[in-house]
Amino acid sequence: MSDNTPVERLEQVQAGIARAASDYGRDPSSITLVAVSKTFPAEDIEPVLAAGQRVFGENYVQEAKAKWPGLRERYPDVELHLIGPLQSNKAREAVQLFDAIHTLDRPSLAEALAKEIAKQGKTPRLLVQVNTGEEPQKGGVMPADVDSFLEACRDRYGLTVEGLMCIPPSEDPPSPHFALLNMMAKKHGLKTLSIGMSADYDAAIQLGATHVRVGSAIFGTRPRAG
Ligand SMILES: *Cc1c(COP(=O)(O)O)cnc(C)c1O
């Protein structure tokens, strides 16, 4: 598989998503592939854009700001998703740059985003990250706090949250985490579920993923950790 080009691997992932949709009785058009291009330079992303992929995920505001404006000039219909942790002092740039933010996870960030959304008149789609594994080093709202955080986003900050996102602990089987997130989304009538990465997008599709975030299965092993 690593002998193949990113475009060939993109096609394999697209076929894998279609197969999983068919296996689990999902409408394939309800599943969006977010191609995670973090750490890869623009020249590695360009062929994937040329092959028709339009939705991309990045983890770092500064990196995305350096790479994407140029690519966007050539591909104006690109949709850019922030999937990495966001510092409140980068909220302005994040609202400018991203069409969706998957990592809203604390009141200070909700406040900063609400301010920028009002100022810029531009509203990225917002997902709340849930720390389903309750890992201290990981971002995300603790499961017990999800109800009150969603309520604060709506009532206190006037934000529309569209869905939930999680990154299961690497040592756990992912499915129980995906199932928990699916249950929470249903409880709150949220339609978007950002779950599943290269190793587990099949299980994520079985458990209701609307967005799978796939990096290394398309672009290969990342040049540095991230
Ligand atoms: C890097 C990253 C991915 C992609 O991971 P792969 O295993 O390379 O597919 C997905 N989601 C998040 C939040 C990431 O940071």
Side-chain angles (χ1 to χ4, degrees), residues 29-184:
S29 73
S30 71
I31 303 157
T32 299
L33 169 60
V34 181
V36 176
S37 47
K38 65 173 174 218
T39 77
F40 288 95
E43 59 264 32
D44 290 352
I45 302 171
E46 173 95 50
V48 174
L49 279 160
Q53 175 67 26
R54 284 296 179 272
V55 184
F56 288 83
E58 289 282 348
N59 282 53
Y60 311 101
V61 172
Q62 290 317 114
E63 182 188 336
K65 215 176 126 181
K67 275 175 4 189
W68 280 96
L71 291 167
R72 248 184 181 154
E73 266 173 38
R74 270 166 291 156
Y75 300 93
D77 55 342
V78 151
E79 203 182 293
L80 209 51
H81 292 229
L82 179 66
I83 62 167
L86 177 59
Q87 293 169 267
S88 300
N89 64 9
K90 300 249 169 69
R92 184 174 58 83
E93 290 167 301
V95 169
Q96 275 167 0
L97 195 58
F98 290 97
D99 302 290
I101 296 172
H102 291 223
T103 49
L104 170 55
D105 67 352
R106 57 196 191 279
S108 57
L109 181 58
E111 188 177 355
L113 287 172
K115 222 162 89 186
E116 283 306 324
I117 287 167
K119 218 194 269 176
Q120 297 183 33
K122 178 175 181 285
T123 308
R125 293 152 57 196
L126 297 176
L127 278 65
V128 164
Q129 180 177 356
V130 182
N131 190 347
T132 56
E134 305 190 29
E135 296 172 280
Q137 83 284 9
K138 201 171 267 178
V141 180
M142 290 296 164
D145 300 332
V146 168
D147 292 3
S148 62
F149 184 62
L150 286 170
E151 192 183 290
C153 284
R154 190 188 58 219
D155 298 339
R156 176 141 193 230
Y157 303 108
L159 295 172
T160 302
V161 171
E162 172 185 305
L164 301 178
M165 175 272 218
C166 79
I167 310 167
S170 49
E171 68 277 12
D172 279 11
S175 289
H177 296 272
F178 297 160
L180 174 66
L181 204 72
N182 186 331
M183 228 175 57
M184 289 174 169

